[in-house]
Amino acid sequence: MNIKPIKSERDYKHALKEIESLFDAKPGTPDGDRLDVLATLVEAYEARHYPIDPPDPIEAIYFVMEQQNLKRKDLEPYIGGRSRVAEVLNHKRTLTLSMIRKLHQALRIPAEVLIRDSRV
């Protein structure tokens, strides 16, 4: 198994092509082990060269609302009354620590996403 670190964009693209060819390899086989190691190397390279910023807190709330089919009214127990929910979702008011805790516990939105500054 001759595998080397991914040091360049060329190495990265080559590794992706090889992963694609090994995609159906069974775990525990030599090809499956090769796929596992290559995927780990690609993941490390992407984390270094293509980092993904966490989402905006309000975008995250909207995403969860869509996924769970929630309406603004459903957020009132966590954020406050109708006008408070509107202010938060329209970027007029920031989330408080209490709101963050409640949203995190009830909707399972990661706290590290909710504590970030909003992009707007």
Side-chain angles (χ1 to χ4, degrees):
M1 184 190 305
N2 186 17
I3 295 178
K4 60 181 185 165
I6 299 173
K7 296 180 181 178
S8 67
E9 192 68 21
R10 183 175 181 221
D11 293 343
Y12 171 68
K13 288 179 181 179
H14 178 63
L16 288 177
K17 283 184 182 178
E18 191 166 353
I19 285 173
E20 187 177 336
S21 73
L22 296 169
F23 202 69
D24 292 327
K26 298 206 184 313
T29 65
D31 282 347
D33 291 345
R34 185 172 186 81
L35 174 62
D36 189 37
V37 171
L38 285 170
T40 301
L41 290 172
V42 165
E43 184 179 325
Y45 182 85
E46 288 175 344
R48 257 192 327 261
H49 293 88
Y50 304 108
I52 298 174
D53 288 333
D56 175 83
I58 304 307
E59 290 174 16
I61 293 170
Y62 275 121
F63 177 78
V64 169
M65 287 174 67
E66 182 179 323
Q67 294 297 307
Q68 297 183 18
N69 200 28
L70 300 174
K71 306 291 182 221
R72 287 180 174 223
K73 183 169 185 60
D74 298 322
L75 298 180
E76 291 179 12
Y78 320 118
I79 295 177
R82 191 167 96 190
S83 63
R84 178 73 41 89
V85 171
E87 289 172 344
V88 168
L89 294 180
N90 291 322
H91 298 303
K92 305 285 185 202
R93 180 184 290 269
T94 59
L95 292 168
T96 65
L97 185 56
S98 175
M99 291 175 195
I100 290 169
R101 284 185 180 133
K102 291 174 185 176
L103 289 165
H104 170 68
Q105 290 173 347
L107 302 181
R108 303 283 186 227
I109 302 172
E112 55 272 11
V113 169
L114 293 171
I115 63 173
R116 291 177 49 91
D117 287 331
S118 187
R119 292 184 189 137
V120 175

